[in-house]
């Protein structure tokens, strides 16, 4: 009979696969429950940190499993490889987020106007948690933002404020933002938005005269004595949204100011939890203003 040497079984490799499955399940369920609105962000961060700690242990166990396979031919190569892959599935994204946490400034509130940031119409609801949170509108935070994101500035458009508001609302609708409140918008865009197609459709003709459809003459307007309300030259629109993948809540404020024949657009974006936005707020502002530039192509100014 051929001689078959006895191969020991690597316990470390076996545990790396088992513990790796638990760590991946913990991180995935935490993110899924947060995306569904069941688990709040601070608790999700705590669960992901715990999963990352377990992933480090899994990675160490898998290395031991590979070492035992190389040295004594212990069984467990597949288990060690599975544990290593599952550990990297967690440590890769967490490591990327940690690098942004270290490289980017510790701010959670970004505005295109660092001197006089737009003020919220409705103050966002902030729930205290174990994550530290400072005032995002203090001078030190604005100075850190200016140094890190010098390209995050407002836009001036050579157009009336009402037309720019329509473009702003269109881009916000494309991004599926939810409007929370506004100031001065209704007075500016009243009658400018396209009416419902059903309302614009002509009535079906039956060939018979309908007295109810007969036009009623209206009195001539008294232009000389009629009081004309001045059109506002200032508007605020507040939105809220969530990031696409992780579902992190973000509050958005857009300020429009008409100056002679131009309209200046400022933005303010803030996250609700923690002291660090990992660059998400500045990225949202850049993306929105780029889309607004495209929609208002040809009238963007400096």
């Amino acid at each position: 009979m051929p001689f078959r040497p006895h191969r020991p079984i690597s316990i470390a490799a076996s545990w790396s696969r088992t513990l790796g499955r638990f760590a991946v399940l913990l991180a995935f369920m935490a993110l899924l429950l947060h995306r569904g609105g069941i688990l709040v962000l601070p608790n999700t961060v705590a669960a992901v940190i715990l999963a990352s700690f377990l992933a480090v242990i899994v990675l160490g166990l898998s290395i031991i499993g590979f070492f035992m396979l190389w040295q004594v031919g212990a069984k467990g190569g597949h288990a060690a490889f599975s544990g290593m892959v599952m550990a990297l599935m967690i440590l890769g994204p967490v490591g990327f987020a940690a690098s942004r946490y270290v490289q980017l400034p510790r701010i959670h509130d970004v505005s295109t106007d660092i001197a006089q940031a737009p003020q919220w119409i409705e103050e966002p609801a902030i729930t205290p948690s174990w994550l530290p949170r400072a005032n995002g509108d203090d001078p030190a935070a604005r100075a850190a933002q200016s140094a890190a994101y010098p390209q995050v500035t407002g836009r001036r458009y050579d157009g009336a404020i009402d037309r720019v508001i329509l473009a702003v609302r269109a881009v916000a609708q494309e991004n599926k933002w939810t409007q929370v409140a506004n100031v001065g918008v209704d007075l500016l865009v009243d009658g400018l938005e396209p009416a419902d197609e059903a309302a614009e459709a002509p009535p079906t003709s039956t060939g018979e005269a309908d007295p109810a459809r007969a036009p009623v003459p209206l009195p001539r307007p008294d232009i000389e004595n009629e009081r004309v309300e001045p059109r506002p030259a200032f508007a605020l629109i507040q939105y809220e949204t969530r990031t696409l993948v992780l579902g992190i809540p973000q509050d958005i404020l857009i300020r429009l100011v008409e100056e002679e024949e131009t309209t200046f657009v400022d933005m303010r974006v803030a996250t609700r939890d923690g002291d660090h936005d990992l660059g998400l707020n500045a990225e949202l502002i850049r993306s929105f203003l780029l889309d607004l530039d495209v929609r208002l192509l040809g009238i963007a100014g400096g």
Side-chain angles (χ1 to χ4, degrees):
M1 295 180 64
F3 173 73
R4 295 182 179 178
H6 175 70
R7 296 179 60 190
I9 299 175
S10 175
I11 299 177
S14 178
W15 269 103
S16 70
R17 180 167 57 186
T18 303
L19 197 60
R21 289 173 178 171
F22 176 76
V24 169
L25 181 62
L26 175 62
F28 176 75
M29 288 303 299
L31 294 175
L32 186 63
L33 292 176
H34 172 66
R35 195 66 183 87
I38 300 175
L39 196 64
V40 296
L41 183 60
N43 295 342
T44 304
V45 172
V48 171
I49 291 176
L50 177 59
S52 303
F53 177 74
L54 295 176
V56 173
I57 298 177
V58 169
L59 188 60
L61 291 174
S62 65
I63 293 175
I64 294 175
F66 284 125
F67 180 79
M68 294 297 294
L69 174 64
W70 179 261
Q71 290 295 319
V72 299
K75 295 181 180 180
H78 291 290
F81 180 76
S82 299
M84 181 184 66
V85 170
M86 287 184 285
L88 293 178
M89 287 174 59
I90 299 174
L91 295 178
V94 171
F96 175 74
S99 66
R100 294 180 69 87
Y101 186 91
V102 173
Q103 295 174 2
L104 298 177
R106 192 174 178 180
I107 56 177
H108 61 269
D109 190 326
V110 177
S111 174
T112 57
D113 187 350
I114 61 175
Q116 294 180 340
Q119 298 303 307
W120 303 107
I121 303 173
E122 295 185 6
E123 196 69 25
I126 306 300
T127 303
S129 67
W130 65 272
L131 294 175
R133 186 176 180 86
N135 180 17
D137 200 20
D138 63 358
R142 295 301 180 201
Q145 175 206 318
S146 178
Y149 310 117
Q151 72 280 15
V152 176
T153 57
R155 290 285 199 279
R156 185 179 300 278
Y157 298 97
D158 296 326
I161 186 173
D162 49 3
R163 300 299 177 182
V164 178
I165 285 179
L166 292 180
V168 166
R169 296 176 70 172
V171 175
Q173 186 176 5
E174 291 175 357
N175 291 322
K176 298 182 180 179
W177 294 352
T178 302
Q179 181 172 313
V180 176
N182 73 80
V183 174
V185 173
D186 296 333
L187 294 176
L188 287 167
V189 302
D190 185 27
L192 291 179
E193 294 181 310
D196 188 15
E197 293 181 0
E200 293 182 350
T204 304
S205 176
T206 59
E208 298 181 359
D210 187 358
R213 297 181 182 272
V216 178
L218 298 176
R220 185 183 298 273
D222 188 359
I223 300 178
E224 297 180 355
N225 298 323
E226 185 178 1
R227 182 180 178 182
V228 179
E229 294 292 337
R231 191 184 69 163
F234 174 86
L236 285 171
I237 316 177
Q238 184 170 336
Y239 295 96
E240 62 181 13
T241 187
R242 287 177 173 267
T243 58
L244 181 61
V245 179
L246 299 180
I248 299 175
Q250 291 178 288
D251 294 287
I252 306 161
L253 188 66
I254 302 175
R255 180 177 66 192
L256 302 97
V257 179
E258 189 175 54
E259 300 171 352
E260 296 181 353
E261 296 181 356
T262 66
T263 301
F264 198 85
V265 178
D266 275 308
M267 291 187 67
R268 181 180 181 181
V269 183
T271 49
R272 296 186 181 182
D273 297 286
D275 243 356
H276 207 304
D277 63 0
L278 303 180
L280 295 174
N281 294 332
E283 182 61 32
L284 185 145
I285 291 177
R286 285 194 292 260
S287 176
F288 177 84
L289 291 179
L290 180 61
D291 292 341
L292 189 61
D293 289 344
V294 173
R295 184 167 286 272
L296 294 173
L297 188 63
I299 67 171

